[in-house]
Amino acid sequence: MRPSKSGSKVVAAGAPPPAKSASSVPLGPSDRTHKLLDEAGTRQTTKEVEARLTLGGAAPAPPEDSYLTRSAALVLLRTYVHQGKFLAYCGGHIIFEDDGVQYPADTRLPLKRSEDDTDLLNIVSLWLLVSYQHRYEAECDDSVLRRLGALLIPRQHREMLLDYLMG
C-alpha cells in the first residue's frame, strides 16, 4: 500500500501527530529499501535523499535494524498499547509517533487468525482490535475491514488477543 498524498485522515483517539522532521518508513522485514518522508510528508527515495545531502541538506538516519525484524511491528504495537502511546492509522500506514516509524497497514505479523488458519494477521487488523476493544464487532463491519484491508478476527480469539496485546 502506498500512502495517499492528499486527503489522508488520521483515525485515532487524541490529536493527530504533529508534523515532524524526516522519518523513516520501514517497508517490512524482507525489504531493506528505505522510503523517507520529508517535513511535508512527501515520500522520497534514498537516491533523492542522497542528492539532497550533496546539496548540503540533512537527511535522517535509516531505521535501525531492530525495526526491520519480522516481529518488530508486533513488539512495537504491544509496547505502544502497554504504555498508552499515540498510535494511529493514516494514509494506509500504522504510525508509531514517538519512534517516528510507520508500517504499511498490510504488514504481516507472526500471528495467525486461528490455529487452523494459514493467513497471518496484518497490523491494521490488530490496530482495529486494540482501538475498538469490546466494541470491535459492532464497529468493524465488512465495509470497514474491506476499506482498510483488515482481516476479521474470529470472536473466540478476540479476548485472548486483547489480553496478549494489552498485557
Side-chain angles (χ1 to χ4, degrees):
M1 275 190 165
R2 306 187 100 186
S4 67
K5 293 191 179 188
S6 63
S8 296
K9 293 183 180 179
V10 172
V11 183
K20 297 179 92 173
S21 60
S23 62
S24 59
V25 182
L27 298 177
S30 64
D31 187 350
R32 295 207 179 259
T33 303
H34 301 120
K35 296 285 185 185
L36 304 169
L37 298 180
D38 64 12
E39 290 176 9
T42 306
R43 289 174 67 96
Q44 295 184 326
T45 64
T46 306
K47 285 184 181 184
E48 290 169 326
V49 171
E50 288 171 358
R52 240 184 35 199
L53 278 175
T54 60
L55 299 174
E64 297 175 25
D65 284 343
S66 60
Y67 290 114
L68 301 173
T69 65
R70 180 161 176 79
S71 62
L74 178 60
V75 170
L76 210 49
L77 179 68
R78 289 189 72 210
T79 301
Y80 270 58
V81 170
H82 284 246
Q83 296 176 1
K85 291 183 176 182
F86 184 81
L87 184 66
Y89 174 89
C90 181
H93 289 79
I94 300 298
I95 300 172
F96 297 90
E97 180 183 17
D98 287 355
D99 286 62
V101 176
Q102 56 186 351
Y103 288 91
D106 63 353
T107 299
R108 299 292 176 185
L109 303 176
L111 289 174
K112 294 181 183 179
R113 277 200 291 191
S114 68
E115 300 85 22
D116 307 337
D117 206 339
T118 57
D119 286 337
L120 295 176
L121 289 171
N122 56 26
I123 194 168
V124 74
S125 299
L126 292 181
W127 176 79
L128 284 169
L129 182 63
V130 298
S131 296
Y132 288 115
Q133 297 180 21
H134 299 291
R135 297 185 332 264
Y136 178 85
E137 190 165 350
E139 301 291 338
C140 297
D141 60 16
D142 287 340
S143 66
V144 170
L145 296 172
R146 220 177 7 263
R147 186 175 72 238
L148 298 179
L151 300 170
L152 178 68
I153 298 172
R155 182 179 295 137
Q156 66 269 25
H157 300 293
R158 290 179 198 152
E159 190 171 332
M160 177 190 63
L161 268 174
L162 270 175
D163 286 347
Y164 171 70
L165 294 168
M166 301 184 86

